[in-house]
Amino acid sequence: MLNPQTTAFLFPGQGSQTVGMGKGLAEASPAAKALFEQADDILDFKLSELCWNGPDADLNDTSNTQPALYVCSLAALAALHEGLGEFTPTFMAGHSLGEVTALVAAGALEFMDGLELVRERGRLMKRAGELSPGGMAAILNLDAPALAEVCAEASAATGKVAQVANDNSPGQVVISGDNAALEKAIELAKARGAKRAIKLPVSIAAHSPLMEVVTGDYARFVDGLPFVAPLTTVIANSTAQPIPADGHAIRAELVGQLTTPVRWTESIRYLAAQGVTTFIELGSKEVLTGLIKRIAPETTGYAVGTPDAIAALAQ
C-alpha cells in the first residue's frame, strides 16, 4: 500500500515522447480519454492522433512534443486516480517541461492554462533555436562539476557559450550551448576520460543562455496566468529545493529554468533525504525511473504510463 508521506510523483520532459503514447490509457480509462479530448478541443487540432499515430517527425517537433508529454502525463495521473482514488503524495517534481506538469498536478494551475503554457513554451523554445542556433550533447562518466569546468574552458577558447544543462544522474550529464563551444567541450570531455560524448539530435540549446532571446516573451505570457499555491510541495529544477507556495515564486522559477541547469540529481537526493522511498513516474517511458536507480538505489521507482502498470500499482 502506498504511503503519501513517503511517495513522490515525477513527470518527464522531452526525450520521453514515443508514437503510441497514451493510447492504451485512453482506451482503458474514461478520465484519461476525456483529458485527451479536452486537449484536442483547446488546441483545435488532434493532439491525440499525433500522440497515438505519429508521424515521429511531427511528434518530435518541440512545439508539439511539449503539449503531447504534458497531456500524456496528466492522462496517466487521471487514470491512476481512477485506480487508487484521489491519492496525493507529499512531493512532486518534473524534469524541465515536466516541472509545468508537476505544478498543474499539484493544483497550482488549471489544466487548460497549463496546456496553453506548454504550447507557448514549446513554440518559443523552437523560435529560440531559430534565432540563436545551438545544440546539446550527452556526456557519460564525468560529473557535473567536472563538466562545468570543461564548459567554462570551451567557452573561453571559442568565445561562445556552453554550460551544463541537465545533471540527470551520476555519470550522465547533458551540456548545452553554441555548436562551436559544444564541439570544443566534447573534445575536452573525451580528453578527461568521458566514456561517451555525443551531440544529441536537437536544434535547440535548452537550459542555456541561448534561450534568453525568448525569455522576455515567455515571462510576459507566464505573468498573465492565474497561479495559486500548490496543494503539494513541488521541487524546483533550478534550486533542487521546494518552490515557495506563491505565484510570484512559481513564475520566477518557470522563466528562470529556461536558461539554468536542471538539477535533477540533487532534486532526487533532496527528496530521498526527506524520507521519500517510492517514486512514481507518470508518462510514456521509464526515463526518470532509470535515473532514480542510479541516484537513489535504496528507493523504489515505478513507471506508470499504461493500464497494466496502474493495475499493478493498485494491487
Side-chain angles (χ1 to χ4, degrees):
M1 189 70 180
L2 291 175
N3 178 355
Q5 299 300 316
T6 58
T7 300
F9 284 172
L10 304 179
F11 300 91
Q14 286 186 241
S16 287
Q17 69 273 13
T18 183
V19 171
M21 65 183 194
K23 187 175 183 180
L25 291 171
E27 290 172 347
S29 162
K33 181 182 180 183
L35 213 60
F36 274 106
E37 290 174 345
Q38 188 179 351
D40 289 349
D41 288 342
I42 293 168
L43 297 175
D44 199 28
F45 86 97
K46 289 286 187 179
L47 180 72
S48 58
E49 289 296 319
L50 180 58
C51 289
W52 302 340
N53 301 313
D56 274 313
D58 291 347
L59 183 60
N60 290 330
D61 184 310
T62 297
S63 58
N64 293 327
T65 305
Q66 297 200 24
L69 288 167
Y70 167 86
V71 174
C72 189
S73 284
L74 291 175
L77 179 61
L80 183 68
H81 282 153
E82 282 185 336
L84 295 182
E86 290 297 318
F87 179 90
T88 303
T90 303
F91 296 100
M92 295 186 187
H95 190 288
S96 189
L97 159 76
E99 185 171 80
V100 178
T101 319
L103 285 163
V104 172
L109 192 65
E110 293 295 328
F111 172 78
M112 179 179 72
D113 292 319
L115 182 57
E116 297 284 5
L117 173 57
V118 296
R119 176 166 64 174
E120 185 67 359
R121 185 181 188 272
R123 186 188 74 80
L124 288 172
M125 290 179 74
K126 181 179 179 180
R127 180 67 176 147
E130 295 164 351
L131 296 172
S132 299
M136 305 178 79
I139 315 293
L140 302 185
N141 208 38
L142 284 182
D143 62 17
L147 280 167
E149 293 181 8
V150 163
C151 287
E153 276 189 45
S155 296
T158 61
K160 302 293 184 179
V161 67
Q163 73 175 34
V164 170
N166 303 332
D167 180 8
N168 286 332
S169 71
Q172 187 193 119
V173 179
V174 174
I175 61 176
S176 180
D178 180 90
N179 287 312
L182 275 188
E183 294 291 350
K184 184 63 177 177
I186 288 172
E187 176 190 323
L188 292 170
K190 287 179 177 176
R192 296 189 187 184
K195 183 177 178 182
R196 201 170 177 209
I198 55 167
K199 288 283 293 291
L200 298 176
V202 297
S203 58
I204 60 172
H207 304 289
S208 87
L210 270 68
M211 291 287 111
E212 286 176 359
V213 68
V214 298
T215 53
D217 287 344
Y218 187 58
R220 282 186 286 276
F221 190 90
V222 170
D223 284 346
L225 295 173
F227 288 98
V228 299
L231 303 175
T232 297
T233 300
V234 178
I235 306 304
N237 282 185
S238 65
T239 64
Q241 297 288 316
I243 302 175
D246 68 81
H248 176 75
I250 292 170
R251 292 182 180 94
E253 167 61 18
L254 289 174
V255 175
Q257 63 115 283
L258 279 193
T259 55
T260 57
V262 175
R263 295 166 63 176
W264 193 251
T265 298
E266 293 170 80
S267 296
I268 297 304
R269 286 178 175 161
Y270 172 85
L271 290 169
Q274 306 311 303
V276 173
T277 57
T278 303
F279 291 95
I280 297 176
E281 177 181 3
L282 292 145
S284 60
K285 286 187 178 178
E286 302 179 359
V287 173
L288 301 182
T289 304
L291 298 178
I292 296 297
K293 292 175 183 176
R294 291 194 283 273
I295 302 168
E298 73 281 5
T299 67
T300 302
Y302 299 95
V304 177
T306 66
D308 287 347
I310 291 171
L313 202 60
Q315 287 178 353

